[in-house]
Amino acid sequence: MGKSLSEIIISQHCQRDVKAGEIVLTPVDVCLLQDGTAPLAIRQLEKLGLKKLANPSRTVFFLDHAAPSPRRELSNDHKFIRDFVAQTGAQFSDIGGGISHQVINEYYVNPGDILIGADSHTCTGGALCAFSTGMGSSDVAVAMGLGKTWLRVPESFKIVVRGEFPLGVYAKDLILHFIGKIGADGATYKALEFCGETVENMTMSQRLTLSNMAVEAGAKVGLIAADKTTQKFLKEMGRGNKYREIKPEKDAVYERSIEIDVSRLEPQISFPHTVDNTRPLSQAQGVKIQQVFLGTCTNARLEDLKIFYEIVKGKKKNSSTRVIVTPASRKVYLDAMKSGYIQAFMEFGAEVLPSGCGPCVGVHGGVGADEDNILSTMNRNFRGRMGNPESNIYLASPAVCAATAIKGEIADPREFLTVKKGSSAKSSKKSSKQKKKK
Amino acid sequence: MTPKGSAWKFGDNISTDLIAPGRYFHLRSNLPEMAKHVMEDADPSFASKVNKGDFIVGGSNFGLGSSREHAPTIIKLAGVSAVLAKSFARIFYRNSINVGLPVLICDTDKIQTGDELEIDLVKGIILDRIRNLKLTFAPLPKVMINILNDGGLVAHIQKHGDFKLS
Ligand code: SF4
């Protein structure tokens, strides 16, 4: 019996063959903590009496949730984290550095790693074929102190994606559609493995969007095989030497296999207040939107900003809609400035905030009013998520957000895209690849 | 351990945003203060009504969302002795055990707010005195029983120096 990606990675760490269902102790390669979860983790570590970190060069602290700090209590938490980092030699990304899940994958995570993060969207690292999963502060405290954790080796679902994305339809629409189909608890405790020609043709940016949302189906991890695209990404990020090919064994066992054809997929919208409350765009048009938010670890990479830019450049936002943009990381922010996107966003009428989580977590920088409808590129739309339980959050792709920012109500981006230019480099590159195959 | 108390019933998909709202993010280093807002966005008066020993009873997918361990911690600080649900989100479930809060998977459909419950954690039985119900709950993996019995993950590691899987 062959191994799934999860079984391969965990077996390598345990130095024996492990199978789904087993409970194992495993070494941990990378630990991630953010300003919301780190203070508790540090206190737990202190209670444990552990003064040293098992692996300071790969234990990374991020100030991204409340950055820059909007309150005294949070400033003191930030100081507490900075002091701990200075004492232990841990890695550190200060305010403005970006969202943990973006930066950790830009600089720290390699294929085949086990990454444990005190943040639920740690599963984003699955896009690099790292076994990446979210845990609480205590678990991560033990992992950074002892360098290990316990895991139940998950059963895997194989998600086979075929077909070419139609114009105006992206990885975000695919994952919203998938979660709508399987349900917010449809994959609880399971590992997702995304594969098939559509995933193979995806850029790393889109793969990160897919893996990021695995947890919204309840999954432990959302893995994608490490291939040429992974290699190219690592090279661009200056660590091509860390690449190794990882793919599931041929006769790997999957608990479920789900096929999705994207060639007829419409843009998707998740309605309030659960991510699986998904409907095709045609059933959502006309919903008035008071705030559009382009940001978060799901969809604020350069490619996402470019999609938004191509639709809004030279236009003016709707006067009754506020538009907020937070680039995913400082690198993304700088690249977007060089490309002219930031200038265009501001001319369009958007507010560009520092890179970080921004309004996503309901602390600052864009809390909605009572009864506001917010359309966001985020990964979750739970009641109260953005700081006000009386506002409504809808989820969509950057393209739908762009069209909506122009019209003031949920709108179809395809109206603003043409087949030739359209979703540009990405879709034309894909089609030429597919032509070659034929 | 046989905790007794009243049930507080909630629906499906109770997220960590409802349990520990993000607008109290600044209280994460002041958990007793944050506990005054526990479950606030699911039931604004819950924190003032709940008595020591009571139970939170959910539907399916209880605790979905973020990894904030503050969520089960403030449930425990509010005096709740266990959370019962048809199913739990993975991180919340693991966090609850780590902070020493029993989380029990059972069929909660018939339990209503105000029911008097009695739970035998060793035998795995839940009694609803009002509705004359006897429910069983799924056993935990051994490593989680060990952590829970030791009073949470920190105490567990302090005691054994490592995880005790069996
Ligand atoms: S952007 Fe939102 S979902 Fe992502 S890590 Fe930050 S708060 Fe969490």
Side-chain angles (χ1 to χ4, degrees):
Chain A
M1 249 177 12
K3 296 193 199 73
S4 64
L5 289 173
S6 301
E7 289 166 330
I8 290 172
I9 298 170
I10 301 172
S11 292
Q12 283 168 354
H13 281 76
C14 295
Q15 299 181 324
R16 66 182 175 87
D17 285 345
V18 305
K19 280 201 307 287
E22 263 182 71
I23 288 183
V24 302
L25 252 181
T26 171
V28 170
D29 303 298
V30 187
C31 289
L32 171 161
L33 300 100
Q34 38 91 339
D35 43 347
T37 54
L40 181 55
I42 294 170
R43 288 190 189 103
Q44 299 295 59
L45 196 75
E46 284 169 352
K47 270 194 212 156
L48 285 168
L50 295 170
K51 296 232 162 58
K52 278 200 182 143
L53 300 179
N55 194 356
S57 65
R58 297 186 87 194
T59 301
V60 197
F61 286 79
F62 293 90
L63 306 188
D64 57 356
H65 275 58
S69 166
R71 300 186 63 122
R72 173 184 178 181
E73 297 90 335
L74 294 166
S75 309
N76 288 334
D77 278 351
H78 284 184
K79 179 173 186 298
F80 182 59
I81 295 167
R82 287 194 189 94
D83 289 349
F84 179 82
V85 164
Q87 278 161 27
T88 55
Q91 306 304 300
F92 184 53
S93 172
D94 210 327
I95 59 162
I99 307 168
S100 66
H101 310 301
Q102 179 63 21
V103 179
I104 201 112
N105 289 301
E106 285 173 353
Y107 300 111
Y108 294 96
V109 179
N110 300 319
D113 279 347
I114 292 184
L115 160 64
I116 302 299
D119 190 282
S120 61
H121 293 101
T122 302
C123 55
T124 312
L128 294 177
C129 204
F131 189 93
S132 316
T133 194
M135 291 188 188
S137 298
S138 295
D139 268 315
V140 178
V142 174
M144 66 182 178
L146 300 182
K148 56 185 161 185
T149 194
W150 74 271
L151 285 175
R152 184 178 174 283
V153 183
E155 291 82 14
S156 298
F157 288 2
K158 183 178 182 178
I159 320 300
V160 190
V161 192
R162 292 189 210 292
E164 192 181 336
F165 280 115
L167 182 72
V169 181
Y170 308 87
K172 180 61 168 290
D173 301 294
L174 162 63
I175 192 71
L176 291 179
H177 168 75
F178 169 72
I179 293 164
K181 224 167 102 149
I182 195 167
D185 58 354
T188 300
Y189 303 119
K190 310 298 178 191
L192 302 179
E193 276 187 28
F194 298 104
C195 60
E197 65 187 29
T198 316
V199 178
E200 283 160 25
N201 286 333
M202 274 181 194
T203 59
M204 185 51 72
S205 178
Q206 295 181 74
R207 291 180 180 186
L208 289 161
T209 301
L210 271 193
S211 295
N212 175 266
M213 289 195 67
V215 66
E216 306 307 332
K220 191 179 260 186
V221 57
L223 287 158
I224 297 172
D227 62 6
K228 292 240 160 60
T229 302
T230 324
Q231 184 173 29
K232 185 170 156 260
F233 174 78
L234 290 169
K235 239 191 217 153
E236 282 166 13
M237 299 316 302
R239 55 185 200 287
N241 61 331
K242 299 293 183 192
Y243 173 72
R244 61 190 170 101
E245 188 188 74
I246 306 175
K247 51 185 182 188
E249 290 176 6
K250 278 220 171 58
D251 48 352
V253 180
Y254 294 95
E255 186 174 311
R256 269 180 84 179
S257 193
I258 297 165
E259 303 227 351
I260 301 176
D261 181 354
V262 297
S263 57
R264 291 215 169 80
L265 194 68
E266 260 191 67
Q268 304 284 309
I269 310 287
S270 286
F271 275 58
H273 297 285
T274 54
V275 184
D276 58 2
N277 192 8
T278 313
R279 294 181 214 169
L281 176 74
S282 52
Q283 292 173 28
Q285 268 165 297
V287 176
K288 293 268 182 274
I289 295 292
Q290 285 75 37
Q291 180 169 306
V292 163
F293 175 35
L294 170 66
T296 81
C297 51
T298 317
N299 275 130
R301 283 174 278 281
L302 193 66
E303 203 174 297
D304 300 309
L305 302 192
K306 181 174 188 217
I307 291 167
F308 195 90
Y309 163 80
E310 281 178 349
I311 293 174
V312 306
K313 67 177 167 204
K315 300 194 176 63
K316 289 280 174 239
K317 74 166 184 70
N318 191 282
S319 59
S320 49
T321 307
R322 311 178 292 274
V323 182
I324 296 173
V325 180
T326 57
S329 69
R330 174 164 278 134
K331 176 174 179 358
V332 170
Y333 204 143
L334 285 167
D335 289 346
M337 280 170 74
K338 278 182 216 141
S339 308
Y341 303 164
I342 301 295
Q343 171 104 17
F345 293 163
M346 296 193 67
E347 285 166 0
F348 175 63
E351 279 314 299
V352 185
L353 303 188
S355 50
C357 301
C360 180
V361 75
V363 182
H364 63 344
V367 176
D370 293 359
E371 283 157 49
D372 264 2
N373 290 330
I374 301 171
L375 183 74
S376 164
T377 61
M378 281 151 71
N379 42 40
R380 53 176 60 140
N381 56 350
F382 306 147
R383 183 187 285 283
R385 173 75 189 170
M386 295 176 80
N388 184 350
E390 300 306 325
S391 51
N392 303 306
I393 309 170
Y394 295 74
L395 307 178
S397 71
V400 175
C401 283
T404 300
I406 296 167
K407 296 237 165 164
E409 56 184 45
I410 294 182
D412 194 333
R414 291 170 292 194
E415 209 180 295
F416 299 94
L417 298 167
T418 50
V419 183
K420 264 186 206 152
K421 282 198 229 149
S423 46
S424 74
K426 176 174 54 73
S427 62
S428 52
K429 188 183 105 204
K430 218 185 312 159
S431 46
S432 66
K433 247 194 208 167
Q434 278 178 350
K435 264 175 222 147
K436 259 184 245 158
K437 262 192 212 159
K438 281 169 200 166
Chain B
M1 282 198 290
T2 51
K4 273 184 221 172
S6 307
W8 297 96
K9 184 76 181 278
F10 294 88
D12 293 339
N13 290 317
I14 297 296
S15 72
T16 52
D17 286 299
L18 298 178
I19 303 169
R23 65 180 173 281
Y24 300 119
F25 200 90
H26 58 288
L27 297 177
R28 287 189 177 192
S29 288
N30 186 359
L31 291 169
E33 198 53 40
M34 196 187 219
K36 293 181 184 161
H37 303 283
V38 65
M39 306 296 286
E40 189 167 290
D41 286 350
D43 174 357
S45 60
F46 176 78
S48 59
K49 293 183 303 196
V50 68
N51 290 310
K52 198 167 165 29
D54 286 355
F55 301 93
I56 286 178
V57 181
S60 60
N61 208 18
F62 191 95
L64 78 161
S66 101
S67 69
R68 60 191 79 151
E69 196 171 298
H70 316 75
T73 307
I74 61 173
I75 289 177
K76 197 179 172 200
L77 282 174
V80 171
S81 54
V83 182
L84 284 53
K86 290 202 272 189
S87 62
F88 288 91
R90 185 186 71 82
I91 307 177
F92 180 86
Y93 189 74
R94 187 165 168 141
N95 281 345
S96 299
I97 302 295
N98 284 347
V99 304
L101 174 72
V103 271
L104 310 174
I105 300 171
C106 61
D107 182 359
T108 56
D109 275 348
K110 296 210 179 86
I111 305 175
Q112 294 300 328
T113 293
D115 287 4
E116 288 302 315
L117 305 183
E118 195 178 318
I119 296 184
D120 189 326
L121 288 170
V122 179
K123 291 199 188 119
I125 297 168
I126 299 163
L127 296 173
D128 185 327
R129 295 287 182 205
I130 305 288
R131 260 156 253 282
N132 245 331
L133 281 174
K134 185 175 166 181
L135 302 168
T136 53
F137 54 85
L140 294 164
K142 192 74 179 57
V143 55
M144 288 188 145
I145 295 178
N146 293 342
I147 293 170
L148 198 55
N149 284 344
D150 290 338
L153 182 60
V154 168
H156 176 79
I157 299 288
Q158 276 170 339
K159 186 168 161 191
H160 306 283
D162 203 337
F163 294 100
K164 203 165 169 283
L165 294 194
S166 54

